[in-house]
Amino acid sequence: MRGGAIILSWALALLLAAGPARAEDGYELWLRYRPLPPTYAAEVAAIAPALAVDAPASPTIAAATAELDRAFAAWTGRPLAPAGTGETALLLCRLDRPCAATLPAHRLADGTGAYRIDRLARGSVAVSARDDIGLLYGSFALLRHIQQRAPLDTLPQADAPRVAIRMLDHWDNVDGSVERGYAGRSIFQWWRLPGYVDPRLTDYARANASIGINAVAVNNVNAPATFLTPRFILKAKALADTLRPYGIRVFLSARFSAPRDLGGLATADPLDPAVQRWWRAKADEIYAAIPDFGGFLVKANSEGQPGPQDYGRSHADGANMLARALGTRGIVIWRAFVYDPDPATERTMQAYNTFQPLDGQFDANVVVQVKNGPLDFQPREPISPLFGAMPRTQLGLEFQITKEYLGFSTHLAYLAPLFEEALDTGGLGKDGRATLADIVTGDKPAPTSLIAGVANIGSDRNWSGSHFDQANWYAFGRLAWNPRLSSETIAREWTAQSFAPDPELVGAIVPMMLASRQTVVDTMTPLGLAHLMGSDHHYGPAPWVDDLGRPDWNPVYYHRADADGIGFDRTPSGSNALAQYPVGLARRYADESDPALPFLLWFHRKRWDDRLVTGRSVWDELVVRYDRGVAGVDAMAATWNGLSGRIDARRHGEVAALLAVQQQEARWWRDASIAYFQSLAKRPLPAGHAAPAQPLDWYRAQRFPEAPGI
Amino acid sequence: MRGGAIILSWALALLLAAGPARAEDGYELWLRYRPLPPTYAAEVAAIAPALAVDAPASPTIAAATAELDRAFAAWTGRPLAPAGTGETALLLCRLDRPCAATLPAHRLADGTGAYRIDRLARGSVAVSARDDIGLLYGSFALLRHIQQRAPLDTLPQADAPRVAIRMLDHWDNVDGSVERGYAGRSIFQWWRLPGYVDPRLTDYARANASIGINAVAVNNVNAPATFLTPRFILKAKALADTLRPYGIRVFLSARFSAPRDLGGLATADPLDPAVQRWWRAKADEIYAAIPDFGGFLVKANSEGQPGPQDYGRSHADGANMLARALGTRGIVIWRAFVYDPDPATERTMQAYNTFQPLDGQFDANVVVQVKNGPLDFQPREPISPLFGAMPRTQLGLEFQITKEYLGFSTHLAYLAPLFEEALDTGGLGKDGRATLADIVTGDKPAPTSLIAGVANIGSDRNWSGSHFDQANWYAFGRLAWNPRLSSETIAREWTAQSFAPDPELVGAIVPMMLASRQTVVDTMTPLGLAHLMGSDHHYGPAPWVDDLGRPDWNPVYYHRADADGIGFDRTPSGSNALAQYPVGLARRYADESDPALPFLLWFHRKRWDDRLVTGRSVWDELVVRYDRGVAGVDAMAATWNGLSGRIDARRHGEVAALLAVQQQEARWWRDASIAYFQSLAKRPLPAGHAAPAQPLDWYRAQRFPEAPGI
C-alpha cells in the first residue's frame, strides 16, 4: 500500500495548505489578538489580573469591556474577572468618578474621545477619559499597544482626536450594489433591514471604533430620494442603533429634489417656504427615529444630480436651507465636486470658480467637503486650490479609500503616502505657513472639522476585497484621528497587528507598502499624467479615448499628446490653473528641478525631445517611468514570495495570486500606454526597453463587461 | 465599584451572546464535524485507528483522504496516521486493486460513483468503489453517518446514484450579480478569474460532492455571448480545474446568437454550414482548455432570447446543431421553458404544444430540460405535461432551489416536500404506472438522465442567505442522487448534521421544516392559485396587477377573480390544459374530493359561494387558508423561539429575526390578498377572521426598489 501512503501525504499537504478548519481569512482585520510569547504574555497578564470599571453603565462601556475581555481571554486563556474592592486590576476610569483621585494628576486634551493610559503603582494599568467613548478609544489603544508587543514601560500614553468628524462615506445603493465598490455588496443589506441586522455590522463598528472613525454616511452620494422614505428611515434607524454603542453617528446622503420626488411639491427651490417646511418636517421625522442623526451629505448640481442651481440659487442657498432644517441637531456636508455643464473652463479650475466666491456665505453647521485634488481621486494630484482659499468656511477633506483609479482591490497600493502627501502640502493659510492638515483641523479642532473617506468596505469576507486593502481603511482612520501621523508608523502598526509583530516581517512588508503607491503612479499615470483609464469602469489603460460626450471626460483632454509633445499647460501661458494656488505653492508645483517630477505633465506641456532634470528626454523619461513601475511590481511580488512560510498559507496565497495579476496588468498598462504614445511621438524606445507585446489595436479592442463597481 | 461589576457582567453577557471569537456563522454548512460524546467518539476512533488507501494517486483520492482527515482529526484530536502494512485501518479500496480480495464479496450497482461501506473483521471500516469518485462519495457517506451519530453496527451500506447528471444551474451574470439570487453575489467572482480563484470554491466543491452533485452550469441562462469569448473560456477553465477533483463538470450557458455576436457571421441559422463550423470550432476551443467540459445549457426563443425559430427552424434543429458541434464529448441541455410571443394559447399549455411534436427528433446527446411545473416555479404547481409525453426524448427535470416565488431567502420554506410531490406524481408512462421520478431516471439510469436545480448559492457567508435555505441545497442534491428519498429522511439528516443529532432538537425542527412549504402556499397562493406576486421582483402580494405588456404576465390572468368567482378553468369547458395529461393523472388533478384541494383553482373556476368538500364556501375557504398560513408561520416562530439556548446564539438569533419578518410578511400577504379579493367578491369575512390592517390602496402603493435578484 505504498501508493496509499503517498496519497495520504498529498492529502495532508492539502489539509495543511488549507490550514486549520478556520483559516486566516482576513475577517478579523487588525483585531486578531493572537497568542503572545510567554514572557510578554506574563507581563500582559500582570497588568490585567482583573478588570475594574468605574463608570455608569452604558452600551459604550459594555463594548469596551467586551473588547478587553475578548483580547485578554485570548492572551491569558481566562476571562477578565471582575475586580474586588481594592484589588489590583486593569481599571477603566471615567474622570467624573471616584477612581479619578487614584490616578496620577494629568490634564487631557480638550474634546470628545480623549483618553490616557497610565501604569498604576502596583504595576497594573488604568485607562481614563472624560467620556465613555474616550474609554472605548483608550481600550482599543491599549490593545493596539499590546498587539504590537510594545514594551509596557512605554506607557503612560495620552491621545485625543485632532479632527472632530472622522467619517466613512459608503457609496452603497438601494439594490445592494456599491458604486466604485470592489469588495462585494453593501454590508448594510438594505433589503433585510430593519427586521434583520447582519451580525457583522457589530464587527464593522468595532473596527471603526478601534481607529477612531465616528461617523458614516450609509448611502451613495448619487442617491435616489428613496433613502428618505419612512421605510428607509426605519432601516437607517436600525443601523444607527447598532453603531451607536461604538460612538458612530449615521448620516444620510440626501437627494436635493426629494421634496418633488417624494413630497409631491412642484419645486425643490431652496427659497420656497413649502420646500423649507418639507425638509424641516423630514428632519423632524428622522430625528424622531434617530435622535443622534448626524445630518445630510449632499452632491448637488454635479454629474446630473439636482441642486439649487436648477432654480437659479447658489450652493450656499441650498446648503443653508438644509442646515436650517437640521438646526442645531446636525450638519450639512455639501460636496464641492462640481463641474459646469458647459466645459469652456478648464476642468480642474471649475470647483474653485464655483465655490471660492461663496466663502463666508455658508451657515455654521455647513461643511463644504472638498476632494483632496482638483480632478477626481487620481493616483497623484496636486491638492485642490480651494484649501486655504475659503478661510471663512469650514472645509472638510474627502479622500477615496476605495481604489477607483488605482487598480481596484486587485492591485496592492498602500494609500497612506497619498493621504500624507496631500495633508503635508504646505504654503497655505494667511502667512503661507499652514499645511493642508492645519487647514482641515483648524487652530483648535472645530466641532465641524471633518475628514471623510469613500469606503472600500463590502460584503467580501475580508471586508476590503484584498488583505492589503484593509490597510487603507486602517490608515484612513488613523490619519483622520491624527493627520500628522506618518504613513510609515501606520504601516508598522497595521502590519504588526494584521500579520505579526515580527521585526523581520514588518521590515520586509512596510517598505513594500510605502513604495507601492508610487509604483502604481509609475505604471498608470507617470510624470503627473492623469485620467488615462478605460471609460466607465476606470480599469486598465485607455489613453486613446476621445469620443465621450464631453471633452473633459476623455483621456486625450488630459494628456494632450500629439506628434510634438505631451502634457497640460496650466501655467500662465495655458489655463493658468496655477494662479488658483497661493504663490509659494504654485511655485513649488511649477518647479521642474526636483528629479521626482511628480507634477511635470500636470502643469506643463513639454516637447517629446525636451531635456529634463533627469538628463533624459520627455519621451525617454516616460518609457523609463513605465518600466520602473513594472519593476516595482515585480519587486513587490519577489518580496512577498520570499515571505512564504512566514505568513499563514491562505493569506499568503491570496496576496501572491493578486500580485501575479498585478505583474501582468502593470505590463498591460505599460505596453498599451507606450504603444499609444509611440504612435504619436513616433520615436524609438530608448535602448534596453522592450517593445509592447501587442500592437496598439489589440489594446484598444479590449473590453471588460465584468468590471465591478460601475 | 459595584457599578463596574454590573457593567462587567453586561460585557460578559455581550461576549457570550456573540459566542466564541469564531461563531457558528453557517459557513461550514452540514460539514461541521463537531465533537462527539465520549462513548461514541471511542467507537469512531476504533474504526479509524489509521488510514490505508489502495488506489492510484489522484486529486480525487487526495480530496477524499483530506476530508476524512479533517473529520477524524476533529473527532479524535489527532490526524489520521497512514497505516503500516497489515495494520488495522480505515480502508479506501478501489476495486481494481489488491485490497478488493480482502473485502466481503458483493456487487456494486452499475454506473459511476457507486460505493459500499463495510465493517471489516477487526472492527474497522472499508469504503470501496470502482472509481475514485465513488471513494469520495463513500467517504462523505461515512462522515454523514457518523455526524448523525448513527450506530456503527448499521453498516454495511451501499449506494449509487439513480440519476447520471446531478446539476446546479447558477444564474450568475458577467457583472457578478445573480438573477433570482438572494444570497449575495456570484461566488465565481468572474472579474478576478482566472488569476485569482477564491479559496471558498474548494469548500463549494466539497459541499457539492458531499451530496453527489456532479455538474454545474456556471452562468445565467440569460447569458450574453461574452461567456464564450477566449477570455471567459480561460475563466471557466480555472473553475473547471478547481472543481474537477470533486467530480464536478462545468457547463456553460450558451447564447444561440453567438456566431453573430462574436463570430461576425450574418446569421445564427442552425442549418447554415458557416454557423455549424463556428460552433464546432468554438467547442474545440473550449475542449482544448477544459477536456471534460460538460456541454451547453441553452435557453432559446424564450423571453427574448435568440433561437432557431428566428430562422424558421425548430428547437430540434437548434439543439442538434449544437449537439453535433460537441460530438461525443458533451451534451446539450435545451430548456423547454418557452412561451409564444403570441399569447393566444393558454400559457401553461405552450411548452407542451411546442415541444411534444418534436419527440424523437432530438439527437442522443440532447437533454430537453423541463421545469417541474408548466408555469414557473410557483409554490405549488401540477407537473409539466411534457413528462411522460416524450418517450423518445431524454427529458431532464429542472427545479428551482432559489426561492424566487417562495419568499426569497427571508422566509423559511423547506423545498424537499415540493420536490417530492413532483417526483412522486404518478399516472405516467406507457401503462400509467410510472412516476415522474421513473420518467427522469429511466428503466436503468441513462447516461444523460438529469435533474437540475437553479442554485441558491451566493457570496453570503452562509452561502444561501439564510441557514434554513442551506437545507434546500442539501435536499436538492440528495434527491437528485436518489429521487426516492423522503423529504423527512433528508430533513433529519440535514438537521442532525447542521445543528446537532439531538433527538429532541431534530424532533422539533423536522416537523417545522416539513410543514413550512404548505405554510408558504397558504400565505401566498392557497387553493391552487399562482403567480400573484409583485411584478419584476416577485416579492410580496400584487394580485391586482393587470397592466403588464402581455396578458399572461399579469396576476389577473391567472386568478381570474371577479364579482362572481375565482379560478382558471383548465377543464374541457375552459382551456382544457387537463387534456395534455394522461387520463388518470388528469382525473386526479381535476378531483375536488380531497379536502387538501391542492389544485382547486388551478384547474377550476368556482363561484364565490360554491360549497367545497370542506363544507365551506370558496370565499370562506380562501380566507381560512390565508389565516392558516399566518398561524403556520406563528407556529414556526414559536417552535424556534422555544429552542433558544439549545442552538448556538448566533444562528438562533439570525433565524429568529427572519421568522419575525416572515410573521409580518405573512400578515401582509394575507391582508393584501384578502383586501383585494374582497373588493371583488364583496362578501363579509367569515366569523372570527379579522379585517385587513390597511385599506387595499395602501397595499397597492407599496414599492420595493431594493428587492434583490432581478
Side-chain angles (χ1 to χ4, degrees), chain B residues 181-373:
Chain B
Y182 314 108
R185 291 168 62 83
S186 171
I187 55 167
F188 300 129
Q189 298 201 35
W190 293 105
W191 167 244
R192 289 190 158 184
L193 292 174
Y196 180 91
V197 180
D198 188 339
R200 97 180 269 169
L201 290 180
T202 299
D203 291 324
Y204 163 78
R206 289 174 50 232
N208 278 335
S210 78
I211 50 176
I213 287 168
N214 67 349
V216 294
V218 294
N219 62 323
N220 191 352
V221 290
N222 294 316
T226 311
F227 282 101
L228 299 174
T229 59
R231 256 176 8 92
F232 271 79
I233 290 170
L234 285 180
K235 294 171 190 270
K237 171 185 162 48
L239 295 179
D241 290 345
T242 305
L243 303 181
R244 186 175 296 114
Y246 299 87
I248 299 166
R249 291 173 78 181
V250 161
F251 289 68
L252 285 173
S253 293
R255 188 171 165 90
F256 199 78
S257 57
R260 297 180 57 181
D261 303 342
L262 302 180
L265 301 189
T267 179
D269 181 348
L271 302 194
D272 185 293
V275 170
Q276 295 166 358
R277 278 195 302 274
W278 188 90
W279 279 109
R280 175 78 197 198
K282 183 54 68 179
D284 292 348
E285 181 189 349
I286 296 172
Y287 278 102
I290 310 172
D292 58 349
F293 176 63
F296 296 127
L297 171 63
V298 186
K299 175 177 179 178
N301 290 124
S302 169
E303 299 186 318
Q305 293 295 316
Q309 294 178 332
D310 302 346
Y311 306 96
R313 315 301 182 187
S314 75
H315 283 282
D317 292 331
N320 293 341
M321 181 273 292
L322 289 176
R324 289 163 200 169
L326 297 170
T328 57
R329 300 172 293 187
I331 64 169
V332 168
I333 303 170
W334 193 269
R335 293 177 89 232
F337 178 65
V338 300
Y339 49 97
D340 288 328
D342 166 20
T345 308
E346 199 254 289
R347 162 72 176 269
T348 67
M349 300 172 70
Q350 296 185 22
Y352 181 97
N353 290 350
T354 304
F355 274 87
Q356 198 282 329
L358 301 175
D359 187 31
Q361 296 183 25
F362 291 97
D363 281 7
N365 62 333
V366 173
V367 178
V368 174
Q369 181 167 294
V370 183
K371 292 187 183 184
N372 60 289

Side-chain angles (χ1 to χ4, degrees), chain A residues 62-86:
Chain A
T65 55
E67 193 73 27
L68 290 169
D69 212 1
R70 178 195 294 258
F72 281 94
W75 286 327
T76 67
R78 54 183 170 72
L80 271 172
T85 312

Side-chain angles (χ1 to χ4, degrees), chain A residues 87-101:
Chain A
E87 210 179 308
T88 302
L90 171 60
L91 172 64
L92 288 193
C93 173
R94 217 173 73 177
L95 291 172
D96 57 354
R97 304 281 289 189
C99 57

Side-chain angles (χ1 to χ4, degrees), chain A residues 164-169 214-218 221 249-256 293-300 315 318-320 322-323 326 330-337 355 362-371 394-398 447-453:
Chain A
I165 305 172
R166 309 171 295 277
M167 185 158 179
L168 288 180
D169 290 352
N214 67 350
V216 294
V218 293
V221 289
R249 290 174 79 182
V250 161
F251 289 69
L252 285 173
S253 294
R255 188 171 166 90
F256 199 78
F293 177 62
F296 295 127
L297 171 63
V298 186
K299 176 177 180 178
H315 284 281
N320 293 342
L322 289 177
L326 296 171
I331 65 169
V332 167
I333 304 169
W334 194 270
R335 294 177 87 231
F337 177 64
F355 274 87
F362 291 97
D363 281 8
N365 62 334
V366 173
V367 178
V368 174
Q369 181 166 294
V370 183
K371 292 186 183 184
Q394 181 65 49
L395 295 186
L397 170 60
E398 179 177 327
T448 51
S449 56
L450 180 152
I451 297 185

